[in-house]
Amino acid sequence: MAQISIRQWAAPVECGSQQTVLEAALAAGVPFPHNCMSGECGACKCRVLTGEVAHGPHLPEALSADERAQGLVLACRSRPKGPVAVEWLLPDRLRAAAPAARSWRAHVIDKHWATHDVVRLRLAVQGKAMHFLPGQFVRLRVGRLPARNYSMANPAGEGELEFHVRLVPQGLVSGHIARHLDLGDGVRLEGPFGTATWQGVQPGRLLLAAGGTGLAPIKAVLRAALDEEHPDIHLYHGVRDERDLYDMEELMALHAQQRLHYTPVLSAPTAATVHRTGWLHEAIARDHPRLHGATVFTAGPPPMVEGVRAHALAAGVRAEHIAADAFHAAAPAGLSLLERLRRLFGAHLAATA
């Protein structure tokens, strides 16, 4: 056992020999910032103040060589070599605003296909309604299957939760949800988690960029912004083809009411279309070459999220006004972390080529 001291947490945490810093912290009830738990997103980036850790494989986008040289590590990839002290990098104001994570039980009250490969799942939470910030997610577990992260698409404070579940080819959990989960079936939830959250109306333009089922957390943010009557909202939804678009009727109605500007973008249409085509971040760059004073929320596939974030920074958005939630796919059963990272590198290079 090793002892971990966390600057933002009063009590030390005991860490088993096979545990990472993040696993030990979460097991002790510490609200340590995190997302993917697999070395891909960088949300659990922290600084080692004293002691040493053994650091595992990770994507360079999550932690650069320069950052590593400066003493930064990923808590999800770090195993203490002895007593260590760390501090997470998430600003205290964001952590303080987030509700405490806990375990919940819920059951299915509605399930239907939103598109050919996206299931809209509605759950009723047992007992007290879950409090969460728009943009957060939960870890959902069905039976003995592995837990998966899904973002809430509904406003906070309701007794029901809405999720958009994409059916992943050979996906163990998404396949079960799509084909076998029935009305009334129980599920377990843990959360809420996530720091790419709505913090209230900010002056300036609000740019929302969703890729695929990244529309779920973006819709939660959108609903909060509409409730607070934000005057300048732009929503872009990027998918491959027209059949992948969903919730268009609702979003087009809001567009017609001039409550937001809604733009679908198709990256690989199979037929002539009236919609914009190409990469989502390129469409945004053409429409919004300057974004000084804007706030940006983006969620979806990592290359798309990174493209939107890079343009936003180049166009004048302050880094603290960009909330990015990259959806990292769960590892296929039987794949080692090294093989998973090799596949991720290949997918990333193909998507950004």
Side-chain angles (χ1 to χ4, degrees), residues 309-327:
R309 192 185 71 84
H311 169 66
L313 288 171
V317 182
R318 295 169 59 182
E320 61 267 30
H321 290 167
I322 302 173
D325 184 5
F327 286 10

Side-chain angles (χ1 to χ4, degrees), residues 62-134:
L63 183 72
S64 69
D66 286 345
E67 289 175 320
R68 188 73 182 90
Q70 295 167 22
L72 301 184
V73 300
L74 300 177
C76 70
R77 301 262 59 86
S78 299
R79 287 183 168 81
K81 292 184 177 180
V84 297
V86 302
E87 64 175 359
W88 62 60
L89 303 186
L90 180 71
D92 288 344
R93 63 179 177 81
L94 293 181
R95 186 186 67 83
R102 51 166 284 195
S103 297
W104 309 78
R105 291 190 177 274
H107 64 273
V108 180
I109 57 173
D110 185 49
K111 189 186 88 170
H112 62 269
W113 290 96
T115 74
H116 65 103
D117 67 350
V118 174
V119 170
R120 192 189 311 275
L121 181 68
R122 295 185 189 274
L123 304 177
V125 178
Q126 297 177 12
K128 188 177 179 181
M130 179 188 294
H131 177 51
F132 62 90
L133 299 178

